[in-house]
Amino acid sequence: MKDNIMSVEKFTDAEKCLIYGDTYSNVYNEIIVSDITSNEMKNVLKGNYVEVLENDLFLDLYNEFEHLNKSNFSSNIVKHISDFLHLNPLKNNTIFTIGVACYQLFLQANWTGPLVSKLDLKSWGPSTAVIESLVDDLDCVSRKVLYPELLVFSYAVFSNDQINIFTRFWWQIRMLSTLQSLLNELSNDIKNMFELAFKQMENTVLETDEEALFRIEQCKIYLSHYGNITKATNCLNTAMNLLGLEHSLVGAMGKRTKFQVKELAQLTLNVNSHKEENNTNLLTPHECCDLPKDCVLDDENRLPDIKFSNESAGKFPKLNSLQQAAILNTLLMEQKCKPKDDLQFEELQPYIRCLVSQQSVWSIHVSTLLQRSLLERDSRKSVERAMKQIECLVSSLEVSSPLNVDRLYLFHCSFVSPSWQLKAYLGNIMLSMGAIQSALDWFLALDMWEECVACYNTQGHRHKAAEILKNELKSSNLTVAKHILILCLLGDATDDISLYEEAWKISDYRSSRAQKHWAFYYYTRKEYKESIDHFKNSLKINSLQENLWFRLGFACMVEERWSEAAEAYRRYCDIENDCFEAWNNLAKCYIKNGQKSRAYYALKEAVKCNYESWMVWDNLMVVSVDCGCFEEAIKCYHRLIDLKSKHVDLEVLRILVQAVQNNVKDENDRPASEHRKCLLQLFGRLTSQVQNDGEIWKLYAHLEEAVPIPNKETADKVLHHLQCAHRFTTQGNKWTQEKNSCLFVSRLSLELAEAYLSCSNITENHEQKKRFLSSAKIMLVSVVSQIEKEKDLMESADIREEFEKVKNILNEIKLQLSAEL
């Protein structure tokens, strides 16, 4: 019944304001002054989250949560809220509002700032233990998470079916995204909850801008957590259409450096908006003050920005908030889709310039500056600006302006990183610049043990990495998940396999991390057989580890366990479907298993992922021929010529020609003769590129000959192609030095002689007939004389048999020529 209700009901104005988080709209102002709206709702809309949490109802429930059984804690807290609402149904809206306040305050404390003050909540223990209690994957989180109990409370509220608020699923999706971002690995539990919540949202009627907002948030989840480009693209395209937004990269003349004299074409972004004015007043122009400073590039050569000859090329139209969010997600989409090189950096810059010029939404502005810094950190000329910019972003979290509600506006469409992650980026930049000790200090302060181990290894101090990990094992606030992590890292640092086994036992045999590190121990030593079972055990617990599926597939291929390798690559492709190496390897596994039709479809996916790899096209062509997909094989051959100019695969060409000659049925039960015209075009193109291959010309002649009713035009073409084949094969007289080439020339000479005879029989011109017969005679006399010189060849029975056939047809032609004279 609930699904049916949600399919017709719409959000109330208060729910919309909570979802949008915009404090500039008329609807927001009306709700704030309304007597109907509760004080809790008004405080949440204003960003006074701490005041909401001073509610006695919240404090009572909060204290009760602490004493719940920690076994299946996530289920217990949801049940506790359900039991409370069952006894107090009128508290439904209040509990939901408190849940939103908890969640927003958690984001403020850990992501957006400003610093939270006046919040006095009793801690339930180490933050790692509190967050880890929500998932069953034994995954470790950062110890730097502030007020994790707030996220737990919002989890209990948003996951509760007793709360009949239509935006609950939307808030649940947001909360799950935040929870997943705290974990080191993808969680199966969270993914399943995402899918259920997405399904519920599909059954909800959304207005145009509501759906655009939701699709952009959905796109961000697919991009940031799962790297699912296909689903993310579909969501983003839907949002773009709803927003009436079109964009394209265009070229414009301009200068990039200070001393540049000649203008060159530079990339810029052409943005067009066809969106009509919004009737809901929820997307009014949003102007946030006190945005983080945009650090100017200080370079002795490069200009801070491109100077276009036409100034309008460097200017962008004013976009509304959702349109900016759509452009930001496009930026991240392009970044994930394209290879990381200088060209990618150039193609992303126009999106960044467009977004930086808007200067209106805090979360989008911060996300854009951060993405620019992450792109620039690998460049020697811009790494200093990248570091300054990230330092500026870190500092901005500690100041009081702008307000928290302005910072949280469209937060879920953006890619703002948590405060500790920003500091980790600074550490990574220091590491790339060679300041290893400074980077190490950052990582130690952030409890980023994997990065610490990497720093010590770079310094050649593996023993120090082991020391610091051993000291951390003595920590008093060591949770099970963190204990497992430290043991695994210590095993990596000391090559002590017993530590992985100890971590596996501590986890009660349910830690995917322990098995993963154990598997990599063997994998890196090329002991693939030993690694396979550990990869499988890890994936059995957490099947979303895409890199493990890939490595399991490779290990199984090395061990020639083709069925297991195919399963591994198939699972990898389900998660990451744009990796051509995986599709190509999957096809190989299918071929080894004798499943050529499945290999064909796998290779079709591979060429979609990498259209420029001639090896993938070659594999697809071969499999297409084996599967009877003759039309596809011809297309593949054309593509190979595009990529390599000269590509010769005689075996494939023979099969295609024989299929046409014998009129074999293709995979669609069509006679192969229907593909003759396309195949002739292929041979025409191939012989223009590869002119001196006699075998190709011979096959070309056979193809021309494969017609139901021969005629003079066909006979002339067959003769011409066989003449070319004979001429290129017999050049240099080296063909008599090897048996197989001698047999090939003998048989080719017979075919050419037959072609001469055929043409002479068709023509009615006496002189032309004599010319055909004379040419045949000269050709055959030359072949016979060359073979007779090679006494060793004549000892072969095959050669003697073919030689006799050549002499017989020569005698026949001599007789016909005499008769014509």
Side-chain angles (χ1 to χ4, degrees):
M1 289 298 294
K2 188 181 296 183
D3 288 351
N4 293 334
I5 294 174
M6 291 192 68
S7 65
V8 295
E9 292 286 350
K10 294 185 178 181
F11 301 156
T12 65
D13 286 345
E15 291 177 55
K16 289 180 183 179
C17 279
L18 273 182
I19 283 292
Y20 279 98
D22 192 355
T23 59
Y24 291 78
S25 67
N26 294 334
V27 176
Y28 169 84
N29 294 327
E30 291 171 3
I31 292 174
I32 292 298
V33 299
S34 172
D35 295 331
I36 302 175
T37 308
S38 66
N39 289 330
E40 289 85 1
M41 176 65 76
K42 290 179 181 179
N43 280 325
V44 171
L45 291 174
K46 291 177 182 178
N48 300 329
Y49 308 124
V50 175
E51 292 183 24
V52 176
L53 302 189
E54 292 173 350
N55 186 308
D56 290 337
L57 172 60
F58 166 74
L59 294 174
D60 290 342
L61 288 170
Y62 182 88
N63 293 327
E64 290 170 8
F65 274 15
E66 182 185 6
H67 303 293
L68 292 177
N69 189 343
K70 292 301 183 284
S71 178
N72 296 322
F73 184 64
S74 58
S75 300
N76 291 336
I77 57 176
V78 174
K79 183 178 184 302
H80 192 74
I81 292 286
S82 294
D83 293 341
F84 173 82
L85 290 176
H86 184 71
L87 298 173
N88 304 275
L90 298 180
K91 298 295 184 180
N92 196 308
N93 289 340
T94 304
I95 290 293
F96 178 74
T97 307
I98 292 173
V100 174
C102 287
Y103 178 57
Q104 296 285 74
L105 188 58
F106 178 78
L107 294 178
Q108 177 185 334
N110 293 283
W111 265 265
T112 66
L115 298 177
V116 177
S117 59
K118 301 179 182 178
L119 182 61
D120 184 21
L121 287 178
K122 182 181 178 182
S123 173
W124 296 346
S127 62
T128 49
V130 175
I131 299 297
E132 288 159 15
S133 65
L134 294 179
V135 291
D136 295 327
D137 296 332
L138 285 178
D139 196 5
C140 190
V141 301
S142 173
R143 194 170 65 183
K144 302 304 175 183
V145 178
L146 300 175
Y147 309 113
E149 296 83 4
L150 297 177
L151 183 64
V152 173
F153 196 94
S154 65
Y155 179 99
V157 173
F158 300 148
S159 303
N160 203 299
D161 292 334
Q162 290 290 324
I163 297 178
N164 298 316
I165 307 291
F166 297 112
T167 54
R168 177 177 68 83
F169 291 108
W170 199 333
W171 283 104
Q172 184 187 25
I173 289 168
R174 292 175 169 182
M175 177 273 303
L176 290 172
S177 178
T178 301
L179 177 57
Q180 179 62 80
S181 65
L182 295 174
L183 304 176
N184 291 329
E185 300 285 351
L186 292 175
S187 166
N188 277 310
D189 295 342
I190 293 177
K191 186 171 186 290
N192 293 334
M193 294 173 74
F194 265 135
E195 291 174 354
L196 290 173
F198 283 152
K199 187 176 180 181
Q200 290 291 345
M201 287 300 298
E202 294 295 336
N203 295 329
T204 306
V205 174
L206 299 176
E207 294 180 357
T208 301
D209 290 316
E210 292 169 1
E211 184 172 1
L213 175 62
F214 175 71
R215 294 303 177 189
I216 295 173
E217 292 186 16
Q218 197 175 17
C219 170
K220 181 228 175 177
I221 289 170
Y222 284 130
L223 281 177
S224 58
H225 299 318
Y226 302 106
N228 193 320
I229 303 299
T230 302
K231 290 185 176 180
T233 302
N234 292 337
C235 294
L236 188 57
N237 288 341
T238 301
M240 289 281 191
N241 292 333
L242 292 168
L243 295 170
L245 188 65
E246 295 178 353
H247 63 85
S248 60
L249 291 174
V250 296
M253 301 303 289
K255 297 179 181 179
R256 169 134 339 163
T257 63
K258 296 176 182 178
F259 309 107
Q260 186 174 339
V261 176
K262 184 181 178 181
E263 291 186 339
L264 299 173
Q266 310 290 343
L267 271 180
T268 188
L269 190 67
N270 183 24
V271 183
N272 295 311
S273 175
H274 308 295
K275 179 67 176 168
E276 297 178 359
E277 288 297 321
N278 194 316
N279 296 324
T280 64
N281 286 323
L282 281 168
L283 280 177
T284 53
H286 189 100
E287 295 294 337
C288 180
C289 301
D290 300 319
L291 294 171
K293 177 185 175 183
D294 175 14
C295 296
V296 178
L297 179 66
D298 183 16
D299 188 276
E300 60 184 14
N301 186 33
R302 283 170 56 190
L303 291 168
D305 202 356
I306 298 173
K307 185 178 180 180
F308 291 98
S309 55
N310 183 355
E311 292 185 3
S312 62
K315 295 182 179 179
F316 304 96
K318 193 64 179 176
L319 303 175
N320 70 37
S321 304
L322 281 184
Q323 289 172 335
Q324 292 179 48
I327 294 294
L328 175 63
N329 277 263
T330 304
L331 166 65
L332 270 294
M333 180 86 72
E334 292 294 314
Q335 186 175 346
K336 285 188 176 291
C337 289
K338 298 182 184 300
K340 189 177 181 181
D341 53 22
D342 293 339
L343 181 59
Q344 183 211 47
F345 182 78
E346 294 299 327
E347 291 178 342
L348 297 179
Q349 285 304 306
Y351 295 98
I352 292 173
R353 290 198 300 271
C354 174
L355 291 169
V356 170
S357 71
Q358 301 298 316
Q359 296 280 332
S360 60
V361 181
W362 187 91
S363 61
I364 292 176
H365 185 73
V366 169
S367 296
T368 306
L369 295 180
L370 175 59
Q371 293 305 318
R372 186 184 67 186
S373 300
L374 297 180
L375 288 169
E376 291 182 342
R377 64 182 173 178
D378 296 327
S379 171
R380 179 177 56 84
K381 294 182 178 180
S382 57
V383 64
E384 186 175 345
R385 197 256 287 263
M387 179 176 285
K388 286 181 179 179
Q389 188 65 75
I390 295 179
E391 286 175 344
C392 180
L393 295 179
V394 171
S395 300
S396 70
L397 302 182
E398 301 174 358
V399 298
S400 58
S401 182
L403 297 174
N404 55 357
V405 286
D406 282 332
R407 300 182 191 221
L408 287 166
Y409 177 56
L410 293 188
F411 170 85
H412 302 284
C413 297
S414 67
F415 294 81
V416 179
S417 293
S419 56
W420 63 85
Q421 184 61 61
L422 289 176
K423 295 173 183 176
Y425 287 140
L426 284 176
N428 286 321
I429 292 176
M430 292 174 186
L431 186 61
S432 68
M433 295 173 67
I436 300 174
Q437 188 57 50
S438 298
L440 182 59
D441 292 340
W442 275 105
F443 295 141
L444 287 171
L446 295 169
D447 289 353
M448 299 182 69
W449 306 114
E450 292 179 82
E451 286 76 5
C452 291
V453 170
C455 287
Y456 280 125
N457 289 341
T458 303
Q459 292 178 320
H461 298 157
R462 284 188 83 191
H463 63 284
K464 288 189 177 181
E467 286 176 13
I468 196 170
L469 292 171
K470 288 177 181 176
N471 290 334
E472 192 60 29
L473 284 176
K474 302 173 185 177
S475 172
S476 59
N477 57 358
L478 198 66
T479 64
V480 174
K482 187 176 179 182
H483 194 177
I484 293 167
L485 171 63
I486 299 299
L487 283 173
C488 290
L489 293 177
L490 187 57
D492 295 343
T494 60
D495 296 330
D496 184 355
I497 198 172
S498 66
L499 292 170
Y500 306 131
E501 188 173 2
E502 183 181 350
W504 180 236
K505 290 179 180 177
I506 289 174
S507 72
D508 195 22
Y509 309 104
R510 59 190 187 93
S511 169
S512 62
R513 177 180 286 276
Q515 287 292 330
K516 177 177 72 172
H517 284 257
W518 206 341
F520 275 119
Y521 173 85
Y522 291 116
Y523 187 87
T524 54
R525 290 162 176 75
K526 298 185 178 181
E527 299 175 20
Y528 299 115
K529 184 177 180 180
E530 289 77 9
S531 72
I532 291 174
D533 286 339
H534 295 294
F535 277 132
K536 286 183 175 180
N537 288 336
S538 182
L539 289 164
K540 191 181 296 183
I541 298 167
N542 185 357
S543 62
L544 298 178
Q545 302 174 89
E546 59 184 63
N547 61 328
L548 262 64
W549 285 117
F550 194 95
R551 285 164 175 76
L552 172 60
F554 181 81
C556 290
M557 283 181 68
V558 172
E559 294 298 316
E560 298 186 0
R561 294 159 68 166
W562 302 111
S563 297
E564 295 169 78
E567 174 64 19
Y569 281 121
R570 187 162 54 246
R571 294 295 298 272
Y572 176 85
C573 292
D574 287 341
I575 302 171
E576 184 66 47
N577 60 5
D578 59 351
C579 176
F580 85 95
E581 292 97 339
W583 286 110
N584 193 60
N585 290 351
L586 176 59
K588 180 177 179 179
C589 297
Y590 282 145
I591 291 171
K592 292 292 185 178
N593 281 332
Q595 299 172 302
K596 291 183 178 179
S597 61
R598 299 184 77 176
Y600 168 76
Y601 289 108
L603 287 168
K604 290 274 283 184
E605 294 296 327
V607 297
K608 291 179 186 177
C609 302
N610 190 340
Y611 202 71
E612 305 301 319
S613 173
W614 72 267
M615 291 179 287
V616 179
W617 283 102
D618 190 39
N619 291 340
L620 177 57
M621 178 180 69
V622 172
V623 173
S624 297
V625 168
D626 286 344
C627 295
C629 304
F630 303 130
E631 185 176 6
E632 185 67 34
I634 295 169
K635 289 179 181 177
C636 290
Y637 212 122
H638 275 294
R639 181 60 186 156
L640 284 165
I641 296 175
D642 291 340
L643 295 171
K644 295 185 65 182
S645 295
K646 298 179 180 181
H647 182 82
V648 177
D649 192 322
L650 292 173
E651 184 177 357
V652 167
L653 294 173
R654 284 192 203 101
I655 294 172
L656 291 172
V657 171
Q658 289 171 7
V660 173
Q661 286 178 311
N662 300 325
N663 212 14
V664 177
K665 296 290 183 68
D666 68 7
E667 87 286 4
N668 294 320
D669 209 30
R670 294 165 55 198
S673 57
E674 293 186 13
H675 305 300
R676 179 175 176 272
K677 184 177 179 180
C678 294
L679 193 55
L680 283 171
Q681 292 174 350
L682 173 62
F683 269 96
R685 187 181 180 195
L686 183 58
T687 51
S688 69
Q689 301 287 338
V690 186
Q691 297 180 347
N692 59 351
D693 192 312
E695 180 81 15
I696 294 176
W697 282 104
K698 179 181 176 182
L699 291 171
Y700 198 180
H702 291 174
L703 185 62
E704 288 284 5
E705 200 174 19
V707 291
I709 304 175
N711 53 42
K712 185 177 184 303
E713 182 181 359
T714 301
D716 288 342
K717 289 181 179 179
V718 171
L719 177 61
H720 171 266
H721 299 340
L722 288 174
Q723 285 174 331
C724 291
H726 197 274
R727 180 169 67 253
F728 293 127
T729 304
T730 57
Q731 278 179 342
N733 296 327
K734 292 183 180 180
W735 59 273
T736 57
Q737 297 175 9
E738 202 270 325
K739 177 183 174 182
N740 289 333
S741 60
C742 185
L743 283 171
F744 179 81
V745 170
S746 299
R747 291 163 183 166
L748 179 60
S749 301
L750 288 171
E751 287 190 47
L752 180 55
E754 293 288 352
Y756 276 122
L757 288 172
S758 177
C759 289
S760 69
N761 293 332
I762 292 174
T763 184
E764 296 179 357
N765 187 306
H766 182 68
E767 291 299 321
Q768 195 173 30
K769 182 175 292 191
K770 285 170 56 179
R771 284 198 296 273
F772 283 135
L773 294 173
S774 296
S775 297
K777 175 185 171 184
I778 293 170
M779 180 270 296
L780 291 171
V781 167
S782 174
V783 171
V784 168
S785 63
Q786 290 287 339
I787 295 176
E788 286 179 332
K789 291 178 184 179
E790 304 296 330
K791 302 300 182 182
D792 294 337
L793 283 176
M794 291 301 292
E795 293 179 2
S796 169
D798 293 339
I799 298 291
R800 287 199 305 273
E801 182 180 352
E802 295 299 325
F803 181 71
E804 290 301 322
K805 292 179 181 178
V806 173
K807 288 184 66 175
N808 290 338
I809 199 167
L810 174 60
N811 293 331
E812 180 183 341
I813 288 173
K814 285 180 178 179
L815 289 174
Q816 289 196 27
L817 190 58
S818 299
E820 293 296 329
L821 296 175

